[in-house]
Amino acid sequence: MLAMSRNDILLFLGFTIAVLAMPIWLQPFGAAYPDLLQRFMIFGIFAVGFNILFGLTGYLSFGHAAFFGVGSYTAVWSFKLLSLDAIPAMLFAIAVSGVFALVIGYLSLRRSGIYFSILTLAFAQMSYNLAYSVLTPITNGETGLQLTLADPRHVDRMFGEAMPGQPVPTLLGQSLGGFAGFYFCAGFLIIAFFIAQRITNSPFGMMLKGIKSNQTRMNYTGFNTKPYTLAAFVISGMYAGLAGALLAVTDPLAGAERMQWTASGEVVLMTILGGAGTLVGPVIGAWLIKYFENIFSAINETILARFWDFLPDGLDHAAVVVSSKFVGEGWFLTLGLVFVLIVVFLPGGIMEGVRRIAHLFNRPDKSSPSQGKAAPQPQPAE
Amino acid sequence: MTLLKRGLSRRRVLQTGMAGIIGTGIAPMVFTKGAWAQEFCNNPTGDTVTIGLNLPLTGAYAEEGADEQKAYELAIAHLNGEGDGGLISVLTPTALTGKGILGKKVAFVTSDSQTKSDVARAGATRMIERDGAIMITGGSSSGEAIAVQGLCQELGVIFMAGLTHSNDTTGKDKRRYGFRHFFNAYQSGIGLGPILGQEYGTDRRAYHLTADYTWGWTQEESMKAATEALGWQTAEAVRTPLGAADFSQYLTPVLNSGADVLILNHYGNDMVNSLTQAIQFGMRDREANGKTFEIVVPLFSELMAKGAGENIKGIFGTSNWHWNLQDPGSIAFTKSFGAAYGSPPSQAAHTAYVQTLLYADAVERAGTFYPPEVIKALEGHEFDGMGNGRTLYRAEDHQCMKSILVVRGNENPTSEYDVLNVVQEVDREATTYDPAIFGGDLGPAEPVPLCA
């Protein structure tokens, strides 16, 4: 952390504390159970990685779920063939998804703008269909790839007999279920966030921002932008692979659905909702969407009836009927509304809202002294 | 060490300690069952016990999911002594009291599995970790059932499968913590084979359209085996994606394939769509190889028959149960379900209801919620009165051995529910098979995994 500014260090420390304290501050929201916390971490990593490509470089990929899925499948195969340990699975997943991203990136990055988006979407949809039906011996199709007692696990077998019971991924013999799994993923989210922060502030990051604001000018100035965009694509593909592998570590099943275009769309939503181009924004967007998906979708009419109980008879029934359209299976509707409101009123996502509020409180201070230390200039979001 | 920064409760210490001990492989020597008997996932300590219902409320099998939910709510009401008591009085032998399970009131939580394995697993995890579910039940896709069953084995929570017909659920992918009351594709083949031979002769060429996941694969395999044993040939077997709305691209090649029977290994909306489109292609009015072209739907349900309307007439298939059966159990269930919801129950609703009662009964007999004891109470348990005659929960693969039905689409329905005729009841002796043919390994019940 030598070359980091004071603000960056504060941001990093604040983020770390917020993440590690999640089991406490999410308690009142009914979200402090390990599985959802793990998902918060995993999709946070996914969104941070996506932001390197979309927020920083300005390339909108509509096929990022493909790398996520490749990461998951690689991790599960590593559990099946080699060892139940999480480390080799994750190394393989990052490597394989990186290579996969290199191939797809090399082809897709020949175009930019909407053509690039469509190309990535096409590749992702191809990967999804391959996983869903063509490559069923490798992916087990719709049923999903699972661990079984009969898996070879060559490395584990070399060190003695397998332990009894359903095989679960471990870290050096330590089981990764529950809160252990959460802290494991949290560690990776913090590392991922730190790396993204360093990339953003490095000369390489400056180059990516330059590509975003005007690629033609960069070319005329004499820079070859291709290696930079490809590097950003591969890095963000590796982030997605890491997230996919973590999902397989915490829940050792790889299904084809996680490669579908809706999953690719979801990460775009997360980034835009939170604030593309900002560091914290995508993570917040990911948390919000996963919260909606898991909590709002689980609210049923019984819970609503209890909630509206204070209203007079008849009115409470009407309230239940109306609100039930927005929860349960209707959680997409709520999410859609939130998304529309944010895009219309806060085009920079939640982070723009945060900045506006901060600005309101800062204004009185700023008006009196004409100069002094410069206010931290946040990244403009687009 | 990030692992120990927070949340170092007694439970966490125990849990990590346990994991370490198991990891070194000395677990069986260190602790005995007695010492740990009451330390298990979601041990209910209050005066309620929570069941997790994992149901597809959206997706290709949504209609079955909605019907299952009704049945679960009914079963839970009956267990708590509300309503007319339903099948509690006809189950023999029974340990049910109508005062909850072991004196605890039964509550439930739900989750929409969207007919997707990934989502089903996430939902089940949420219900176990956050809502403290002692048992997970539901699902109307085998893909889901297998995925959730694996998860339940990992977390040490019993899974009572809902509608799942794949051979793999209690075959290759069977689990110690998973139980299935529904019949399977292999038994469909046993039941349907002889009838098909009798009706359509022994010289036929069959074309399969198969839903592309575990259930479709095993049903295709079982139907191929059953029809080829009759002397039929298989022209081709084509896999179609789950939830495809348009099957015309798969149906066109059937016309030129030289086949004279189309076997639709589809279920739910998929079957409604593929059958309707096949009829629109004029398949049932065709002649091929000098014989009338026939369509067979090996797994049938009333909900699908209703959805397909007219098209279902005269088509053969199999069912786990039908509301029109005349034994006391079926009559009681149809009456009780009809009184509550105004329509007769589907086979999905029946299996859901029965599974809930069987779990409650097993807990009462075991005298504890401790999963290994409940598993022992279910394994090899023989009971009667649930609508399928004398039934055995087989210990080797956790598959129920009972009679199944061969059904045919009703030519002259008297009401919108009277869509299927029972052609034959295939008894338990005929549908019993050797569990070893599918392989698989149940795995151990103990040590009980501890969920977070």
Side-chain angles (χ1 to χ4, degrees):
Chain A
M1 292 187 202
L2 296 169
M4 286 168 85
S5 72
R6 194 171 143 268
N7 276 320
D8 279 349
I9 293 178
L10 281 181
L11 178 70
F12 177 68
L13 288 179
F15 180 79
T16 307
I17 292 167
V19 164
L20 292 179
M22 270 180 127
I24 298 168
W25 64 266
L26 279 175
Q27 203 76 51
F29 300 97
Y33 62 97
D35 182 59
L36 184 57
L37 290 174
Q38 288 162 7
R39 266 163 222 275
F40 280 168
M41 299 303 109
I42 290 163
F43 285 91
I45 296 172
F46 192 20
V48 165
F50 183 75
N51 188 50
I52 292 177
L53 184 65
F54 176 49
L56 219 51
T57 323
Y59 275 79
L60 173 58
S61 158
F62 249 113
H64 247 54
F67 309 123
F68 190 81
V70 166
S72 286
Y73 282 120
T74 314
V76 176
W77 271 112
S78 159
F79 293 143
K80 284 171 94 72
L81 293 180
L82 296 172
S83 158
L84 280 173
D85 202 83
I87 301 295
M90 290 170 56
L91 291 177
F92 276 115
I94 296 174
V96 172
S97 55
V99 170
F100 194 62
L102 189 70
V103 175
I104 291 190
Y106 181 77
L107 296 169
S108 309
L109 284 165
R110 300 177 158 260
R111 294 283 170 270
S112 61
I114 187 76
Y115 305 102
F116 168 78
S117 303
I118 295 296
L119 275 175
T120 51
L121 177 64
F123 280 118
Q125 204 54 18
M126 268 155 61
S127 324
Y128 166 69
N129 277 322
L130 283 176
Y132 192 88
S133 49
V134 182
L135 293 178
T136 33
I138 300 176
T139 61
N140 208 16
E142 151 76 21
T143 320
L145 196 59
Q146 279 201 67
L147 304 184
T148 60
L149 288 170
D151 289 334
R153 290 198 288 281
H154 295 296
V155 176
D156 281 0
R157 292 277 148 90
M158 271 190 275
F159 295 101
E161 255 324 286
M163 56 183 177
Q166 176 74 3
V168 283
T170 54
L171 178 66
L172 309 173
Q174 169 91 273
S175 156
L176 283 175
F179 280 103
F182 163 67
Y183 285 112
F184 183 71
C185 297
F188 279 98
L189 176 62
I190 291 165
I191 295 169
F193 184 80
F194 179 70
I195 294 174
Q197 207 177 16
R198 296 312 306 261
I199 288 178
T200 314
N201 294 330
S202 67
F204 174 70
M206 281 312 283
M207 203 70 83
L208 297 183
K209 282 180 231 168
I211 293 171
K212 180 180 182 179
S213 45
N214 195 334
Q215 180 159 198
T216 324
R217 188 185 288 168
M218 291 288 283
N219 281 327
Y220 285 156
T221 332
F223 287 106
N224 184 5
T225 53
K226 266 204 179 137
Y228 290 97
T229 48
L230 187 60
F233 193 88
V234 172
I235 290 171
S236 99
M238 285 160 85
Y239 264 85
L242 169 67
L246 280 174
L247 193 57
V249 167
T250 54
D251 183 6
L253 170 128
E257 299 104 49
R258 62 181 66 163
M259 298 177 93
Q260 220 176 350
W261 66 271
T262 47
S264 300
E266 199 180 58
V267 70
V268 180
L269 284 190
M270 287 170 180
T271 311
I272 295 177
L273 197 64
T278 62
L279 276 165
V280 188
V283 182
I284 294 179
W287 292 349
L288 204 67
I289 288 191
K290 284 293 142 189
Y291 181 79
F292 269 99
E293 183 182 299
N294 285 279
I295 304 297
F296 261 65
S297 68
I299 298 178
N300 55 27
E301 297 209 350
T302 339
I303 298 173
L304 284 177
R306 221 178 300 144
F307 181 75
W308 293 113
D309 208 25
F310 63 91
L311 290 174
D313 269 0
L315 206 60
D316 66 338
H317 184 69
V320 168
V321 170
V322 172
S323 53
S324 70
K325 300 283 175 247
F326 292 89
V327 297
E329 303 119 78
W331 70 272
F332 276 112
L333 199 59
T334 319
L335 182 66
L337 276 177
V338 171
F339 190 68
V340 167
L341 288 177
I342 286 191
V343 169
V344 170
F345 294 106
L346 296 170
I350 292 169
M351 287 315 281
E352 188 177 323
V354 172
R355 266 198 303 278
R356 284 192 194 175
I357 292 168
H359 189 63
L360 277 183
F361 284 103
N362 284 338
R363 201 180 301 162
D365 298 344
K366 262 201 213 156
S367 55
S368 46
S370 53
Q371 59 178 76
K373 52 182 189 249
Q377 199 60 54
Q379 307 289 342
E382 285 171 43
Chain B
M1 197 69 200
T2 46
L3 289 177
L4 295 176
K5 273 197 178 155
R6 238 163 256 282
L8 196 69
S9 63
R10 187 189 68 97
R11 196 183 180 95
R12 285 264 312 118
V13 174
L14 284 177
Q15 191 190 341
T16 36
M18 268 280 285
I21 292 166
I22 298 170
T24 49
I26 54 168
M29 286 163 268
V30 175
F31 54 83
T32 56
K33 197 209 88 195
W36 286 84
Q38 294 313 316
E39 191 65 50
F40 58 89
C41 186
N42 294 334
N43 185 3
T45 46
D47 53 0
T48 58
V49 53
T50 308
I51 291 178
L53 310 180
N54 206 13
L55 302 161
L57 301 174
T58 49
Y61 300 161
E63 217 166 328
E64 274 75 9
D67 220 45
E68 280 181 22
Q69 176 157 10
K70 290 180 189 168
Y72 282 123
E73 288 177 10
L74 193 67
I76 288 165
H78 290 168
L79 285 175
N80 287 333
E82 298 153 21
D84 61 3
L87 291 186
I88 288 187
S89 52
V90 278
L91 174 66
T92 50
T94 177
L96 295 172
T97 56
K99 295 188 195 110
I101 306 177
L102 290 182
K104 292 180 200 291
K105 193 172 176 326
V106 187
F108 68 94
V109 286
T110 55
S111 169
D112 177 11
S113 66
Q114 301 174 22
T115 327
K116 288 180 181 171
S117 319
D118 253 7
V119 185
R121 253 173 106 104
T125 318
R126 177 178 67 238
M127 293 192 288
I128 294 169
E129 289 185 348
R130 189 187 65 161
D131 306 324
I134 182 75
M135 180 269 276
I136 297 293
T137 180
S140 51
S141 144
S142 293
E144 270 178 31
I146 290 169
V148 175
Q149 182 167 291
L151 175 94
C152 286
Q153 176 93 6
E154 236 169 71
L155 296 179
V157 172
I158 290 184
F159 176 65
M160 301 296 283
L163 195 151
T164 157
H165 188 243
S166 169
N167 294 339
D168 292 346
T169 313
T170 49
K172 172 165 87 55
D173 295 313
K174 64 188 175 188
R175 295 280 184 271
R176 183 67 68 181
Y177 282 76
F179 289 87
R180 168 162 71 178
H181 169 262
F182 208 68
F183 71 137
N184 62 27
Y186 188 77
Q187 294 175 313
S188 281
I190 298 175
L192 201 52
I195 301 267
L196 289 181
Q198 195 183 314
E199 293 280 331
Y200 299 150
T202 55
D203 179 30
R204 286 279 191 170
R205 276 174 69 80
Y207 193 104
H208 291 259
L209 286 186
T210 304
D212 194 359
Y213 73 105
T214 171
W215 168 68
W217 305 336
T218 62
Q219 178 162 299
E220 177 189 295
E221 183 190 295
S222 297
M223 286 309 296
K224 262 189 197 167
T227 51
E228 280 169 9
L230 292 172
W232 292 21
Q233 287 170 304
T234 304
E236 206 164 342
V238 173
R239 306 273 162 91
T240 66
L242 180 66
D246 182 11
F247 288 92
S248 45
Q249 55 165 319
Y250 303 105
L251 289 165
T252 328
V254 179
L255 302 173
N256 307 316
S257 63
D260 46 37
V261 177
L262 173 63
I263 298 183
L264 290 176
N265 298 310
H266 288 155
Y267 194 75
N269 277 343
D270 279 6
M271 175 268 167
V272 172
N273 290 334
S274 63
L275 179 65
T276 311
Q277 285 161 19
I279 305 243
Q280 280 163 0
F281 272 60
M283 289 205 183
R284 297 197 72 193
D285 311 322
R286 283 181 81 239
E287 294 235 326
N289 312 331
K291 302 184 212 51
T292 325
F293 195 92
E294 301 290 353
I295 300 179
V296 177
V297 180
L299 178 62
F300 241 163
S301 94
E302 309 75 60
L303 295 172
M304 287 151 52
K306 243 170 77 188
E310 290 278 295
N311 304 326
I312 206 88
K313 287 182 179 176
I315 289 180
F316 280 105
T318 55
S319 262
N320 189 50
W321 177 83
H322 190 258
W323 61 269
N324 212 3
L325 290 175
Q326 290 306 314
D327 60 282
S330 303
I331 291 173
F333 183 51
T334 307
K335 182 168 149 272
S336 172
F337 193 91
Y341 305 111
S343 63
S346 66
Q347 59 175 354
H350 172 252
T351 203
Y353 183 96
V354 173
Q355 284 280 68
T356 316
L357 254 53
L358 288 177
Y359 173 77
D361 178 63
V363 173
E364 293 281 357
R365 282 186 290 116
T368 168
F369 286 99
Y370 182 63
E373 292 298 321
V374 181
I375 290 170
K376 266 184 226 154
L378 278 168
E379 282 178 347
H381 179 52
E382 184 137 16
F383 57 92
D384 199 356
M386 301 310 257
N388 297 101
R390 286 202 69 72
T391 307
L392 169 72
Y393 238 128
R394 195 154 69 175
E396 291 80 10
D397 57 356
H398 294 187
Q399 168 72 48
C400 266
M401 288 295 136
K402 57 186 171 18
S403 63
I404 64 157
L405 307 174
V406 177
V407 293
R408 184 172 203 179
N410 197 343
E411 299 279 359
N412 302 303
T414 53
S415 76
E416 60 167 322
Y417 302 110
D418 183 26
V419 280
L420 294 178
N421 281 338
V422 178
V423 179
Q424 195 196 349
E425 212 173 323
V426 186
D427 63 21
R428 176 172 142 189
E429 279 64 43
T431 59
T432 300
Y433 60 90
D434 176 12
I437 57 174
F438 293 121
D441 187 355
L442 283 172
E446 290 185 293
V448 191
L450 282 178
C451 63

